[in-house]
Amino acid sequence: MTDGIAKDRLEKLQALRSAGQDPFPPRVPRGQPIASVLSDFAQRTGQTVTLAGRLGVIRDFGKLRFAHLEDRSGSIQVGFQRDKLAAFWPDRKRIEGNDLVSITGELGTTQKGEPTLWATEVTLASKALRAAPEKWHGLTDTEQRYRMRYVDLFANAEVRQSFAMRSRIVREVRAYFDSLDYLEVETPILQPIFGGASARPFITHHNTLDMQLYLRIAPELYLKRLLVGGMERVYEIGRVFRNEGISTRHNPEVTMLESYEAWADYRDIMARVEGLFAHLCQRVLDGKTKVTFREKEFDLQPPFQKEKYLDLFAQQNPGTDWFDHQSVLRRAKELHLKTDGIEPAKLANDVFEATVEDTLQGPIFVYDYPVAISPLAKRVPEDPRITERFELFVCGMELGNAFSELNDPIDQEQRFLEQMQHKDDETPGEVDFDYVTALEYGMPPAGGLGIGIDRLCMLLSGSTSIRDVVLFPLLRREVAVPVEPHDVPVAPPDAPK
RNA sequence: GGGGGCGUAGCUCAGCUGGUAGAGCAGCGGCCUUUUAAGCCGUAGGUCGCAGGUUCGAUCCCUGCCGCCCUCACCA
């Protein structure tokens, strides 16, 4: 806060105070959204209105000044004329670009027809002590944009747009499940046993209980307890935390949708997913079904393509048997995959991911996954090695995962115990026996679904990086720079004590 | 963690073969009542990410470190 611009602005702030004006008044005339006067501007010419927002660069003509005023709905030109602002005119330079203001005036046009609010009353709403980024390029430095998202947002309208879209997506996901009579619920984020997915957790501690807790990696096991409890249709949209690497598709905390529906199976859930995408295209993309993502076009119009996991595996790895460890090992080495200490099923799936995932342009449902990599899914009746599970892929990116939920407590317990045999740091430290107990009370057959909301937002908004759909992505801490305190009185000199 | 790229004024960026830095915008002073990336005249503003090294001399070359981006690995 030591640069020259800040000094100039601080001086203006003090000058305002000395003149008895509050640079941060508790309230100002608020008026109406700017868009509301622009939509039928022709009819409004001559009307007096009040608009409030952030001032852009001021174009100064001496006795006439122009600037744009921007609020959440849009922006409009404001004209300041000395003739109409006699009282304000001497103070005009204390209000400058980037300040927040409320302006009352008459709607009209310029000689070139630009809709303009000709100011008759100007009220400073909040003094900006820092200048806005350059008007033409905005803030482009990626690091600055993430660290100072507040600047990114007001400087770059398209960033506001894309987060507005994220908000609409979440709202419409809710609307979709609400319309199907699902209940939205909230389950614990702090969990004594982490489960429901395969990921390394964040570990924390509760002081009073002196108990180690994990930030959840998935809400799954709690939501299915609700099925046992008779809630039949539930969903949760909430944060999950995975202590993994950070990349364009991975943030340590992401927003997950999980839904569970009793008396449904994975075929029904496929239809739900297709219905959800149709709904989102309708309500978020205004009926458009085509999106551009990573320079390719994808049509989200259901029905989606459907292929069996093992068929895709066989196509890309002819001669390799997913269930034969020796043949998988051979193929994995051919692909230069890490094979040491990798459990056979995991390795076979690594081969799948290495050879198949990039080919999945989609939208495509990959279905019938091996049981060894699907510990919570129900087996298909014809083959105990396979489960009723599918994943949704678009552009090689996994968007969702769903299955007919395993409700056989004995099978579930055995699979948990099996997991304990070849435990890694992504496996829970202990079996969630309470979950098994819940199943023993009887869980209806059900279909469950998980969709990564962040990736869904990436797809629908065409964002290449997850950081462009997360308001405050995690970054390393900056080296702390001691801040010099403002040496400025906070009240005018003659204020009562 | 590997590979590649980047870091220069508040913002966006130049800066040649090594000779201690420049523009536009923003700021400040001035002119201008119809501009809209306004214009014109003047002016101020720098730990060239940080720390070493080489050199008579480093924004530039070398090493290490910090941060960001891309990519690979990792990652339901």
Side-chain angles (χ1 to χ4, degrees):
Chain A
M1 211 49 193
T2 49
D3 65 87
I5 293 172
K7 277 204 184 94
D8 291 333
R9 285 178 175 256
L10 263 184
E11 279 166 21
K12 287 168 194 150
L13 175 96
Q14 286 177 280
L16 285 164
R17 283 228 164 93
S18 303
Q21 289 180 42
D22 186 353
F24 303 101
R27 61 197 65 80
V28 297
R30 184 166 65 167
Q32 55 191 306
I34 289 169
S36 73
V37 302
L38 287 175
S39 58
D40 54 349
F41 193 81
Q43 284 82 60
R44 290 176 175 270
T45 306
Q47 276 185 15
T48 296
V49 299
T50 297
L51 303 173
R54 190 183 290 271
L55 273 183
V57 183
I58 291 171
R59 303 181 285 274
D60 186 356
F61 281 80
K63 299 185 193 68
L64 172 71
R65 329 183 93 201
F66 290 105
H68 269 79
L69 181 73
E70 186 170 26
D71 71 6
R72 68 183 187 281
S73 72
S75 87
I76 188 173
Q77 174 164 276
V78 182
F80 304 88
Q81 297 165 101
R82 190 183 61 176
D83 301 347
K84 292 190 178 173
L85 284 166
F88 167 72
W89 204 251
D91 285 338
R92 68 191 182 282
K93 291 202 168 176
R94 291 174 190 158
I95 291 189
E96 56 197 322
N98 209 31
D99 284 349
L100 296 155
V101 293
S102 162
I103 294 172
T104 301
E106 192 176 299
L107 295 174
T109 52
T110 60
Q111 287 171 2
K112 293 196 176 155
E114 173 88 8
T116 300
L117 176 67
W118 295 104
T120 51
E121 205 78 48
V122 180
T123 311
L124 179 62
S126 182
K127 183 73 193 158
L129 294 181
R130 296 184 189 244
E134 198 207 4
K135 63 190 164 198
W136 191 241
H137 298 90
L139 187 70
T140 63
D141 180 83
T142 331
E143 182 175 359
Q144 294 269 69
R145 287 187 44 230
Y146 297 152
R147 288 198 194 278
M148 304 173 94
R149 185 69 93 182
Y150 40 89
V151 178
D152 188 31
L153 283 163
F154 76 69
N156 300 319
E158 69 282 3
V159 176
R160 289 202 300 280
Q161 293 295 320
S162 109
F163 284 105
M165 179 186 267
R166 178 173 178 135
S167 173
R168 281 202 303 281
I169 290 168
V170 172
R171 188 210 304 150
E172 292 304 332
V173 169
R174 282 208 166 88
Y176 178 73
F177 284 97
D178 290 346
S179 75
L180 292 168
D181 204 25
Y182 277 68
L183 287 180
E184 182 173 7
V185 298
E186 294 170 278
T187 61
I189 289 174
L190 295 174
Q191 303 180 346
I193 304 171
F194 65 96
S198 167
R200 284 197 290 273
F202 287 91
I203 301 172
T204 187
H205 180 261
H206 188 278
N207 287 345
T208 310
L209 297 178
D210 188 20
M211 180 165 76
Q212 174 164 294
L213 289 167
Y214 303 93
L215 301 188
R216 69 177 174 194
I217 58 172
E220 172 149 358
L221 299 183
Y222 283 94
L223 290 170
K224 284 192 278 193
R225 283 169 166 95
L226 301 179
L227 293 180
V228 173
M231 292 184 85
E232 293 202 356
R233 292 187 178 195
V234 293
Y235 74 97
E236 177 164 10
I237 295 174
R239 219 65 70 85
V240 301
F241 307 85
R242 297 179 180 187
N243 206 338
E244 312 279 6
I246 294 176
S247 77
T248 48
R249 302 169 195 214
H250 301 267
N251 197 55
E253 49 182 303
V254 296
T255 300
M256 182 70 72
L257 158 78
E258 283 200 11
S259 73
Y260 293 87
E261 179 172 334
W263 320 112
D265 66 11
Y266 75 144
R267 294 276 169 193
D268 301 314
I269 302 304
M270 273 189 200
R272 293 289 190 225
V273 172
E274 290 178 335
L276 175 63
F277 274 80
H279 179 84
L280 292 174
C281 288
Q282 198 59 47
R283 304 297 291 268
V284 178
L285 301 180
D286 302 319
K288 241 178 28 172
T289 63
K290 294 197 168 89
V291 295
T292 303
F293 184 71
R294 293 183 188 267
E295 289 163 7
K296 278 175 258 175
E297 191 172 80
F298 298 92
D299 192 346
L300 305 179
Q301 175 75 52
F304 300 157
Q305 190 190 348
K306 299 171 179 68
E307 298 287 346
K308 283 191 176 180
Y309 177 97
L310 287 175
D311 290 349
L312 292 168
F313 184 89
Q315 279 165 31
Q316 298 298 325
N317 306 282
T320 305
D321 178 358
W322 198 95
F323 298 100
D324 175 20
H325 185 50
Q326 285 312 313
S327 93
V328 167
L329 200 58
R330 212 180 308 123
R331 181 69 174 135
K333 286 193 168 137
E334 215 172 282
L335 295 165
H336 307 291
L337 297 180
K338 205 175 94 181
T339 56
D340 290 349
I342 311 280
E343 195 241 321
K346 166 94 168 67
L347 188 66
N349 192 48
D350 287 348
V351 170
F352 177 90
E353 288 181 2
T355 56
V356 179
E357 276 198 359
D358 286 345
T359 72
L360 301 173
Q361 289 307 303
I364 177 174
F365 289 126
V366 178
Y367 70 100
D368 285 5
Y369 279 65
V371 67
I373 54 170
S374 312
L376 299 162
K378 180 176 287 202
R379 298 174 206 262
V380 302
E382 309 79 45
D383 187 345
R385 301 175 305 171
I386 307 296
T387 60
E388 295 195 353
R389 171 186 175 193
F390 70 85
E391 290 198 350
L392 173 64
F393 286 88
V394 179
C395 194
M397 181 167 75
E398 183 204 329
L399 276 177
N401 181 25
F403 33 87
S404 302
E405 302 297 335
L406 178 61
N407 60 347
D408 174 343
I410 297 162
D411 192 357
Q412 186 67 80
E413 182 179 58
Q414 282 170 3
R415 291 199 214 172
F416 278 163
L417 291 170
E418 170 72 14
Q419 271 188 320
M420 292 298 121
Q421 297 309 305
H422 34 75
K423 195 154 72 168
D424 55 26
D425 51 7
E426 297 183 1
T427 314
E430 54 185 296
V431 170
D432 191 343
F433 286 111
D434 179 72
Y435 177 68
V436 176
T437 302
L439 294 186
E440 285 172 355
Y441 279 95
M443 182 174 96
L449 168 68
I451 287 182
I453 295 290
D454 307 84
R455 289 181 177 183
L456 182 64
C457 291
M458 289 169 67
L459 178 69
L460 295 183
S461 66
S463 304
T464 311
S465 169
I466 197 170
R467 295 179 205 97
D468 290 325
V469 299
V470 172
L471 279 167
F472 298 100
L474 184 64
L475 299 179
R476 279 178 209 276
R477 282 188 66 167
E478 281 182 298
V479 181
V481 180
V483 176
E484 214 175 295
H486 297 296
D487 185 21
V488 174
V490 295
D494 56 350
K497 295 266 153 47

